[in-house]
mmCIF file with all atom_site columns, all heavy atoms in Angstrom:
data_model
loop_
_atom_site.group_PDB
_atom_site.id
_atom_site.type_symbol
_atom_site.label_atom_id
_atom_site.label_alt_id
_atom_site.label_comp_id
_atom_site.label_asym_id
_atom_site.label_entity_id
_atom_site.label_seq_id
_atom_site.pdbx_PDB_ins_code
_atom_site.Cartn_x
_atom_site.Cartn_y
_atom_site.Cartn_z
_atom_site.occupancy
_atom_site.B_iso_or_equiv
_atom_site.pdbx_formal_charge
_atom_site.auth_seq_id
_atom_site.auth_comp_id
_atom_site.auth_asym_id
_atom_site.auth_atom_id
_atom_site.pdbx_PDB_model_num
ATOM 1   N N   . LEU A 1 60 ? -12.603 -11.532 7.576  1.00 88.00 ? 60 LEU A N   1
ATOM 2   C CA  . LEU A 1 60 ? -11.591 -10.810 8.334  1.00 88.00 ? 60 LEU A CA  1
ATOM 3   C C   . LEU A 1 60 ? -12.194 -9.644  9.098  1.00 88.00 ? 60 LEU A C   1
ATOM 4   O O   . LEU A 1 60 ? -11.905 -9.442  10.288 1.00 88.00 ? 60 LEU A O   1
ATOM 5   C CB  . LEU A 1 60 ? -10.498 -10.301 7.388  1.00 88.00 ? 60 LEU A CB  1
ATOM 6   C CG  . LEU A 1 60 ? -9.322  -9.567  8.050  1.00 88.00 ? 60 LEU A CG  1
ATOM 7   C CD1 . LEU A 1 60 ? -8.590  -10.486 9.023  1.00 88.00 ? 60 LEU A CD1 1
ATOM 8   C CD2 . LEU A 1 60 ? -8.357  -9.038  6.992  1.00 88.00 ? 60 LEU A CD2 1
ATOM 9   N N   . ALA A 1 61 ? -13.047 -8.870  8.444  1.00 87.00 ? 61 ALA A N   1
ATOM 10  C CA  . ALA A 1 61 ? -13.596 -7.661  9.055  1.00 87.00 ? 61 ALA A CA  1
ATOM 11  C C   . ALA A 1 61 ? -14.499 -7.960  10.241 1.00 87.00 ? 61 ALA A C   1
ATOM 12  O O   . ALA A 1 61 ? -14.637 -7.128  11.146 1.00 87.00 ? 61 ALA A O   1
ATOM 13  C CB  . ALA A 1 61 ? -14.355 -6.837  8.013  1.00 87.00 ? 61 ALA A CB  1
ATOM 14  N N   . THR A 1 62 ? -15.134 -9.136  10.231 1.00 84.00 ? 62 THR A N   1
ATOM 15  C CA  . THR A 1 62 ? -16.090 -9.462  11.297 1.00 84.00 ? 62 THR A CA  1
ATOM 16  C C   . THR A 1 62 ? -15.515 -10.401 12.353 1.00 84.00 ? 62 THR A C   1
ATOM 17  O O   . THR A 1 62 ? -16.235 -10.846 13.242 1.00 84.00 ? 62 THR A O   1
ATOM 18  C CB  . THR A 1 62 ? -17.363 -10.100 10.708 1.00 84.00 ? 62 THR A CB  1
ATOM 19  O OG1 . THR A 1 62 ? -17.006 -11.291 9.999  1.00 84.00 ? 62 THR A OG1 1
ATOM 20  C CG2 . THR A 1 62 ? -18.074 -9.140  9.776  1.00 84.00 ? 62 THR A CG2 1
ATOM 21  N N   . SER A 1 63 ? -14.242 -10.696 12.241 1.00 82.00 ? 63 SER A N   1
ATOM 22  C CA  . SER A 1 63 ? -13.612 -11.536 13.255 1.00 82.00 ? 63 SER A CA  1
ATOM 23  C C   . SER A 1 63 ? -13.501 -10.762 14.566 1.00 82.00 ? 63 SER A C   1
ATOM 24  O O   . SER A 1 63 ? -12.899 -9.690  14.618 1.00 82.00 ? 63 SER A O   1
ATOM 25  C CB  . SER A 1 63 ? -12.215 -11.965 12.789 1.00 82.00 ? 63 SER A CB  1
ATOM 26  O OG  . SER A 1 63 ? -11.470 -12.503 13.860 1.00 82.00 ? 63 SER A OG  1
ATOM 27  N N   . ASN A 1 64 ? -14.071 -11.297 15.616 1.00 79.00 ? 64 ASN A N   1
ATOM 28  C CA  . ASN A 1 64 ? -13.991 -10.640 16.916 1.00 79.00 ? 64 ASN A CA  1
ATOM 29  C C   . ASN A 1 64 ? -12.558 -10.458 17.372 1.00 79.00 ? 64 ASN A C   1
ATOM 30  O O   . ASN A 1 64 ? -12.200 -9.437  17.964 1.00 79.00 ? 64 ASN A O   1
ATOM 31  C CB  . ASN A 1 64 ? -14.761 -11.452 17.967 1.00 79.00 ? 64 ASN A CB  1
ATOM 32  C CG  . ASN A 1 64 ? -16.256 -11.271 17.849 1.00 79.00 ? 64 ASN A CG  1
ATOM 33  O OD1 . ASN A 1 64 ? -16.730 -10.374 17.153 1.00 79.00 ? 64 ASN A OD1 1
ATOM 34  N ND2 . ASN A 1 64 ? -17.015 -12.134 18.495 1.00 79.00 ? 64 ASN A ND2 1
ATOM 35  N N   . LEU A 1 65 ? -11.731 -11.466 17.098 1.00 77.00 ? 65 LEU A N   1
ATOM 36  C CA  . LEU A 1 65 ? -10.335 -11.395 17.511 1.00 77.00 ? 65 LEU A CA  1
ATOM 37  C C   . LEU A 1 65 ? -9.605  -10.274 16.777 1.00 77.00 ? 65 LEU A C   1
ATOM 38  O O   . LEU A 1 65 ? -8.849  -9.505  17.377 1.00 77.00 ? 65 LEU A O   1
ATOM 39  C CB  . LEU A 1 65 ? -9.642  -12.733 17.253 1.00 77.00 ? 65 LEU A CB  1
ATOM 40  C CG  . LEU A 1 65 ? -8.224  -12.879 17.800 1.00 77.00 ? 65 LEU A CG  1
ATOM 41  C CD1 . LEU A 1 65 ? -8.230  -12.776 19.327 1.00 77.00 ? 65 LEU A CD1 1
ATOM 42  C CD2 . LEU A 1 65 ? -7.617  -14.211 17.370 1.00 77.00 ? 65 LEU A CD2 1
ATOM 43  N N   . TYR A 1 66 ? -9.853  -10.177 15.460 1.00 82.00 ? 66 TYR A N   1
ATOM 44  C CA  . TYR A 1 66 ? -9.192  -9.133  14.673 1.00 82.00 ? 66 TYR A CA  1
ATOM 45  C C   . TYR A 1 66 ? -9.706  -7.754  15.076 1.00 82.00 ? 66 TYR A C   1
ATOM 46  O O   . TYR A 1 66 ? -8.953  -6.779  15.137 1.00 82.00 ? 66 TYR A O   1
ATOM 47  C CB  . TYR A 1 66 ? -9.423  -9.383  13.185 1.00 82.00 ? 66 TYR A CB  1
ATOM 48  C CG  . TYR A 1 66 ? -8.423  -8.690  12.299 1.00 82.00 ? 66 TYR A CG  1
ATOM 49  C CD1 . TYR A 1 66 ? -7.083  -9.047  12.329 1.00 82.00 ? 66 TYR A CD1 1
ATOM 50  C CD2 . TYR A 1 66 ? -8.814  -7.677  11.420 1.00 82.00 ? 66 TYR A CD2 1
ATOM 51  C CE1 . TYR A 1 66 ? -6.160  -8.420  11.529 1.00 82.00 ? 66 TYR A CE1 1
ATOM 52  C CE2 . TYR A 1 66 ? -7.896  -7.043  10.611 1.00 82.00 ? 66 TYR A CE2 1
ATOM 53  C CZ  . TYR A 1 66 ? -6.575  -7.418  10.670 1.00 82.00 ? 66 TYR A CZ  1
ATOM 54  O OH  . TYR A 1 66 ? -5.659  -6.782  9.879  1.00 82.00 ? 66 TYR A OH  1
ATOM 55  N N   . PHE A 1 67 ? -10.999 -7.669  15.353 1.00 80.00 ? 67 PHE A N   1
ATOM 56  C CA  . PHE A 1 67 ? -11.580 -6.416  15.829 1.00 80.00 ? 67 PHE A CA  1
ATOM 57  C C   . PHE A 1 67 ? -10.971 -6.011  17.165 1.00 80.00 ? 67 PHE A C   1
ATOM 58  O O   . PHE A 1 67 ? -10.701 -4.839  17.414 1.00 80.00 ? 67 PHE A O   1
ATOM 59  C CB  . PHE A 1 67 ? -13.096 -6.565  15.972 1.00 80.00 ? 67 PHE A CB  1
ATOM 60  C CG  . PHE A 1 67 ? -13.810 -5.293  16.317 1.00 80.00 ? 67 PHE A CG  1
ATOM 61  C CD1 . PHE A 1 67 ? -14.039 -4.319  15.357 1.00 80.00 ? 67 PHE A CD1 1
ATOM 62  C CD2 . PHE A 1 67 ? -14.239 -5.051  17.616 1.00 80.00 ? 67 PHE A CD2 1
ATOM 63  C CE1 . PHE A 1 67 ? -14.693 -3.131  15.683 1.00 80.00 ? 67 PHE A CE1 1
ATOM 64  C CE2 . PHE A 1 67 ? -14.892 -3.879  17.957 1.00 80.00 ? 67 PHE A CE2 1
ATOM 65  C CZ  . PHE A 1 67 ? -15.116 -2.912  16.979 1.00 80.00 ? 67 PHE A CZ  1
ATOM 66  N N   . PHE A 1 68 ? -10.725 -6.995  18.018 1.00 80.00 ? 68 PHE A N   1
ATOM 67  C CA  . PHE A 1 68 ? -10.092 -6.737  19.316 1.00 80.00 ? 68 PHE A CA  1
ATOM 68  C C   . PHE A 1 68 ? -8.699  -6.146  19.130 1.00 80.00 ? 68 PHE A C   1
ATOM 69  O O   . PHE A 1 68 ? -8.343  -5.138  19.743 1.00 80.00 ? 68 PHE A O   1
ATOM 70  C CB  . PHE A 1 68 ? -10.011 -8.045  20.118 1.00 80.00 ? 68 PHE A CB  1
ATOM 71  C CG  . PHE A 1 68 ? -9.133  -7.967  21.332 1.00 80.00 ? 68 PHE A CG  1
ATOM 72  C CD1 . PHE A 1 68 ? -9.617  -7.421  22.512 1.00 80.00 ? 68 PHE A CD1 1
ATOM 73  C CD2 . PHE A 1 68 ? -7.829  -8.444  21.297 1.00 80.00 ? 68 PHE A CD2 1
ATOM 74  C CE1 . PHE A 1 68 ? -8.813  -7.346  23.640 1.00 80.00 ? 68 PHE A CE1 1
ATOM 75  C CE2 . PHE A 1 68 ? -7.019  -8.377  22.415 1.00 80.00 ? 68 PHE A CE2 1
ATOM 76  C CZ  . PHE A 1 68 ? -7.509  -7.822  23.594 1.00 80.00 ? 68 PHE A CZ  1
ATOM 77  N N   . PHE A 1 69 ? -7.897  -6.782  18.271 1.00 81.00 ? 69 PHE A N   1
ATOM 78  C CA  . PHE A 1 69 ? -6.543  -6.294  18.044 1.00 81.00 ? 69 PHE A CA  1
ATOM 79  C C   . PHE A 1 69 ? -6.537  -4.918  17.386 1.00 81.00 ? 69 PHE A C   1
ATOM 80  O O   . PHE A 1 69 ? -5.616  -4.129  17.587 1.00 81.00 ? 69 PHE A O   1
ATOM 81  C CB  . PHE A 1 69 ? -5.756  -7.283  17.184 1.00 81.00 ? 69 PHE A CB  1
ATOM 82  C CG  . PHE A 1 69 ? -5.325  -8.512  17.929 1.00 81.00 ? 69 PHE A CG  1
ATOM 83  C CD1 . PHE A 1 69 ? -5.643  -9.777  17.447 1.00 81.00 ? 69 PHE A CD1 1
ATOM 84  C CD2 . PHE A 1 69 ? -4.614  -8.410  19.108 1.00 81.00 ? 69 PHE A CD2 1
ATOM 85  C CE1 . PHE A 1 69 ? -5.258  -10.920 18.136 1.00 81.00 ? 69 PHE A CE1 1
ATOM 86  C CE2 . PHE A 1 69 ? -4.219  -9.547  19.807 1.00 81.00 ? 69 PHE A CE2 1
ATOM 87  C CZ  . PHE A 1 69 ? -4.541  -10.800 19.319 1.00 81.00 ? 69 PHE A CZ  1
ATOM 88  N N   . GLY A 1 70 ? -7.574  -4.633  16.591 1.00 82.00 ? 70 GLY A N   1
ATOM 89  C CA  . GLY A 1 70 ? -7.665  -3.345  15.932 1.00 82.00 ? 70 GLY A CA  1
ATOM 90  C C   . GLY A 1 70 ? -7.909  -2.192  16.889 1.00 82.00 ? 70 GLY A C   1
ATOM 91  O O   . GLY A 1 70 ? -7.723  -1.025  16.528 1.00 82.00 ? 70 GLY A O   1
ATOM 92  N N   . GLN A 1 71 ? -8.319  -2.501  18.103 1.00 83.00 ? 71 GLN A N   1
ATOM 93  C CA  . GLN A 1 71 ? -8.568  -1.469  19.104 1.00 83.00 ? 71 GLN A CA  1
ATOM 94  C C   . GLN A 1 71 ? -7.434  -1.345  20.114 1.00 83.00 ? 71 GLN A C   1
ATOM 95  O O   . GLN A 1 71 ? -7.481  -0.491  20.997 1.00 83.00 ? 71 GLN A O   1
ATOM 96  C CB  . GLN A 1 71 ? -9.864  -1.788  19.875 1.00 83.00 ? 71 GLN A CB  1
ATOM 97  C CG  . GLN A 1 71 ? -11.100 -1.831  18.998 1.00 83.00 ? 71 GLN A CG  1
ATOM 98  C CD  . GLN A 1 71 ? -12.331 -2.183  19.802 1.00 83.00 ? 71 GLN A CD  1
ATOM 99  O OE1 . GLN A 1 71 ? -12.930 -1.335  20.452 1.00 83.00 ? 71 GLN A OE1 1
ATOM 100 N NE2 . GLN A 1 71 ? -12.719 -3.442  19.778 1.00 83.00 ? 71 GLN A NE2 1
ATOM 101 N N   . LYS A 1 72 ? -6.426  -2.214  19.994 1.00 84.00 ? 72 LYS A N   1
ATOM 102 C CA  . LYS A 1 72 ? -5.316  -2.220  20.929 1.00 84.00 ? 72 LYS A CA  1
ATOM 103 C C   . LYS A 1 72 ? -4.037  -1.735  20.250 1.00 84.00 ? 72 LYS A C   1
ATOM 104 O O   . LYS A 1 72 ? -3.909  -1.791  19.034 1.00 84.00 ? 72 LYS A O   1
ATOM 105 C CB  . LYS A 1 72 ? -5.099  -3.637  21.488 1.00 84.00 ? 72 LYS A CB  1
ATOM 106 C CG  . LYS A 1 72 ? -6.323  -4.250  22.156 1.00 84.00 ? 72 LYS A CG  1
ATOM 107 C CD  . LYS A 1 72 ? -6.727  -3.479  23.404 1.00 84.00 ? 72 LYS A CD  1
ATOM 108 C CE  . LYS A 1 72 ? -7.936  -4.103  24.070 1.00 84.00 ? 72 LYS A CE  1
ATOM 109 N NZ  . LYS A 1 72 ? -8.355  -3.379  25.297 1.00 84.00 ? 72 LYS A NZ  1
ATOM 110 N N   . ILE A 1 73 ? -3.127  -1.265  21.069 1.00 86.00 ? 73 ILE A N   1
ATOM 111 C CA  . ILE A 1 73 ? -1.831  -0.831  20.535 1.00 86.00 ? 73 ILE A CA  1
ATOM 112 C C   . ILE A 1 73 ? -0.933  -2.064  20.451 1.00 86.00 ? 73 ILE A C   1
ATOM 113 O O   . ILE A 1 73 ? -0.025  -2.275  21.261 1.00 86.00 ? 73 ILE A O   1
ATOM 114 C CB  . ILE A 1 73 ? -1.209  0.273   21.417 1.00 86.00 ? 73 ILE A CB  1
ATOM 115 C CG1 . ILE A 1 73 ? -2.187  1.427   21.584 1.00 86.00 ? 73 ILE A CG1 1
ATOM 116 C CG2 . ILE A 1 73 ? 0.086   0.790   20.799 1.00 86.00 ? 73 ILE A CG2 1
ATOM 117 C CD1 . ILE A 1 73 ? -1.702  2.523   22.514 1.00 86.00 ? 73 ILE A CD1 1
ATOM 118 N N   . LEU A 1 74 ? -1.220  -2.885  19.454 1.00 85.00 ? 74 LEU A N   1
ATOM 119 C CA  . LEU A 1 74 ? -0.505  -4.138  19.244 1.00 85.00 ? 74 LEU A CA  1
ATOM 120 C C   . LEU A 1 74 ? -0.109  -4.264  17.778 1.00 85.00 ? 74 LEU A C   1
ATOM 121 O O   . LEU A 1 74 ? -0.602  -3.540  16.914 1.00 85.00 ? 74 LEU A O   1
ATOM 122 C CB  . LEU A 1 74 ? -1.384  -5.323  19.672 1.00 85.00 ? 74 LEU A CB  1
ATOM 123 C CG  . LEU A 1 74 ? -1.753  -5.383  21.157 1.00 85.00 ? 74 LEU A CG  1
ATOM 124 C CD1 . LEU A 1 74 ? -2.818  -6.446  21.406 1.00 85.00 ? 74 LEU A CD1 1
ATOM 125 C CD2 . LEU A 1 74 ? -0.527  -5.646  22.023 1.00 85.00 ? 74 LEU A CD2 1
ATOM 126 N N   . THR A 1 75 ? 0.748   -5.221  17.490 1.00 88.00 ? 75 THR A N   1
ATOM 127 C CA  . THR A 1 75 ? 1.351   -5.323  16.154 1.00 88.00 ? 75 THR A CA  1
ATOM 128 C C   . THR A 1 75 ? 0.525   -6.104  15.140 1.00 88.00 ? 75 THR A C   1
ATOM 129 O O   . THR A 1 75 ? 0.863   -6.129  13.955 1.00 88.00 ? 75 THR A O   1
ATOM 130 C CB  . THR A 1 75 ? 2.733   -5.998  16.260 1.00 88.00 ? 75 THR A CB  1
ATOM 131 O OG1 . THR A 1 75 ? 2.556   -7.329  16.785 1.00 88.00 ? 75 THR A OG1 1
ATOM 132 C CG2 . THR A 1 75 ? 3.669   -5.220  17.171 1.00 88.00 ? 75 THR A CG2 1
#
Side-chain angles (χ1 to χ4, degrees):
L60 182 61
T62 59
S63 166
N64 283 347
L65 188 63
Y66 200 65
F67 186 77
F68 168 82
F69 285 126
Q71 299 179 82
K72 304 295 181 180
I73 305 176
L74 296 170
T75 62

